[in-house]
Structures are given as structure tokens and as C-alpha cells.
Amino acid sequence: MKTENYLDTSIIAARKAAEILLGYFQKEKNVSFKSAHYDMVTKADIESEKIIVSTIKEKFPCHNILAEENNYEQTDSPYTWIIDPLDGTNNFVHGIPVFSISIALAKNGSIIMGVVYDPTREELFCAQHGDGAMLNNKLVRVTEAEDLSSSILATGFYYNRGKEMEETLDNIKRFFLSGIIGIRRMGSAALDLCNVACGRLDGFWEYYLSPWDFAAGVYIVEQAGGKVTDQYNEKVKIAPSYIVSSNGKIHTKMLDIVGNKERGT
Ligand code: IPD
Ligand code: CA
Ligand code: CA
């Protein structure tokens, strides 16, 4: 099976999911809560995941699925699809048109393809090995900024409001003191990563993300010439992780701010 077929299937699944999300957007909310009143899930999240998983399973019934809203039976396949059916649920619930669908495919633990679709702007980001990163069929690349003083960054806030939140707020202060142009909090980590890939942002970091938030976006950034690591400058695995992503040129400078702590402290 060629990777193109994987990409085609992902795009079909993402577009079907987009139809479902747009059908609910700014209309019916159907919100329930996971851990806290700001950790939400909607009927749209659930239905979107259902259509993505059934589209993939129809073509690749033996592959594994790692998706946000449900657990799926594990198989012996080396392939795992990593799915966020709605990245940016808080925006979605509040009628803010910034959210996405994220689908990645990993083989033996390495990502080989990523698709992120923004249904309200109709922007489709994708990458598969060797072909670079594309936005609506045009190649994109990261920026050339070499300093924080010529950079604009984005961040996100993990749902936990404890130490993670405090450290993120400290880092925001440190970035501003370093002379950064600005910091954005858009609300969809998958799109934040794609915005690094296509040169709208010079970097993005977030204290804690799950594989479905970042798998496709990390691959798209790397294929666009950028860099993604954890806070210790180590390659990100398919597991919950700190994420630092950049155009490559400001990566060490970002790590100096967010990652200059001893392991385990
Ligand atoms: C969230 C978004 C947000 C990020 C959170 C994620 P969800 O995903 O990506 O930008 O800051 O950490 O959990 O819950 O909307 O799929
Ligand atoms: Ca997410
Ligand atoms: Ca989600």
C-alpha cells in the first residue's frame, strides 16, 4: 500500500468530519465535561471521530487507532492512526471559528504522514515523506527569523491550572522580556503547529499535549523545514509531551527560555 493511499483516505475522512463539525458549529452545542468545566466534549467531537475511524477502518481494518474520544482494540499491525476529531473544542463551543481535524499515521512508532484540516478557512495542511509540507496543494516552508526579537510565537494552556499554568505564564513573561514581537493563543494546537510550518508563526510551545494534538502537526512542521522537540531538546515520541516547535533557527533560544530546567525539577 503506497503512502498516497493513506493520504487520500485521511483527506476524505477529514472532509467528511468537517461536514459534521460545520453542521453543528454555532448551532447545537450538546456540551458535556471531562475533568473540569473548561475541559469540554461535544456531540460534534464524538460524531467526527466516528466518521473518521469508520472511513479509515473501511480501508485498513487491521490498523490500530489512537483517538481522543474512545479506546479501540489493539491489533498486531505496525500502523497506528492518531486522530483528534476536533482540535479546539473550547473555540468551537464558543462560536470562535478556529478549530481543526488532525489525522496522522505512524509506522512502528514513527510518523509517516499528517493531515490537518481547518474547515472554516478551508485550509488543508498535509505532508508525507519526502514531498515537503503543503497548504492547499502549495509547498510551504518555515520562516527565516534568527532572533526572538523578530519572532512571533504562539502558546496554549493545558487544562490543568496548577504548576503547568504557572510555568507557562512565567515563560510568557520571559519571552516578552526577551523582546519578542508578540504571543498568540489561538486555541488549536494542531493549527498552531501548521502555522509554524507555513511561516505565519516563528514558533509555538505548549507545556503538555497529547499525541492526537500534535502528531500530524509535528510531522508537517518537520517536512516544512522546521524543528520540534520536547523541552530538553529531545525528539518527541508518540506519548504525552511538552512541545517546542520552531523554524529551527530560533529553537535554542526558545529552549533557553522554556527548557533550561534540570530534568525532574
Ligand atoms: C486543545 C487545543 C488547545 C490546547 C489544549 C488542547 P482540544 O485540544 O489543542 O489549543 O491548548 O492543550 O487540549 O481539547 O480542543 O482537542
Ligand atoms: Ca486537541
Ligand atoms: Ca479534541
Side-chain angles (χ1 to χ4, degrees), residues 34 38-41 45 68-69 84-92 99-100 155-160 185-192 204-210 212-214:
K34 292 182 179 173
Y38 38 78
D39 189 359
M40 305 170 191
V41 61
D45 293 74
E68 181 171 12
E69 308 302 346
D84 192 333
L86 168 48
D87 188 51
T89 297
N90 282 7
N91 281 348
F92 186 86
F99 55 88
S100 63
T155 189
F157 302 108
Y158 175 55
Y159 291 115
N160 186 310
R185 195 292 191 245
M186 258 93 80
S188 163
L191 285 179
D192 291 328
F204 160 71
W205 87 99
E206 185 160 343
Y207 189 99
Y208 178 99
L209 287 170
S210 297
W212 42 79
D213 300 311
F214 65 72

Side-chain angles (χ1 to χ4, degrees), residues 77-231:
S77 169
Y79 291 96
T80 302
W81 294 80
I82 306 161
I83 301 158
D84 192 333
L86 168 48
D87 188 51
T89 297
N90 282 7
N91 281 348
F92 186 86
V93 168
H94 290 88
I96 300 168
V98 181
F99 55 88
S100 63
I101 295 140
S102 177
I103 304 174
L105 178 62
K107 185 178 179 191
N108 294 319
S110 297
I111 303 161
I112 57 169
M113 185 224 64
V115 166
V116 175
Y117 185 50
D118 172 344
T120 64
R121 289 184 196 72
E122 297 185 2
E123 289 192 332
L124 180 80
F125 295 88
C126 63
Q128 57 179 333
H129 188 62
D131 291 350
M134 316 275 268
L135 163 53
N136 289 348
N137 290 320
K138 287 200 182 116
L139 275 174
V140 289
R141 271 201 79 74
V142 293
T143 65
E144 296 289 326
E146 302 215 353
D147 293 303
L148 292 180
S149 59
S150 48
S151 295
I152 189 158
L153 306 181
T155 189
F157 302 108
Y158 175 55
Y159 291 115
N160 186 310
R161 298 262 163 113
K163 165 174 163 275
E164 296 83 354
M165 175 70 83
E166 280 182 26
E167 197 176 310
T168 302
L169 293 172
D170 286 348
N171 287 335
I172 289 173
K173 185 172 174 187
R174 294 220 284 265
F175 273 120
F176 274 110
L177 291 174
S178 80
I180 201 90
I181 290 178
I183 295 180
R184 301 288 178 264
R185 195 292 191 245
M186 258 93 80
S188 163
L191 285 179
D192 291 328
L193 286 162
C194 290
N195 283 329
V196 173
C198 73
R200 293 172 183 156
L201 294 170
D202 304 287
F204 160 71
W205 87 99
E206 185 160 343
Y207 189 99
Y208 178 99
L209 287 170
S210 297
W212 42 79
D213 300 311
F214 65 72
V218 163
Y219 190 67
I220 291 168
V221 170
E222 288 172 348
Q223 292 288 308
K227 187 165 178 178
V228 186
T229 66
D230 67 9
Q231 76 272 44

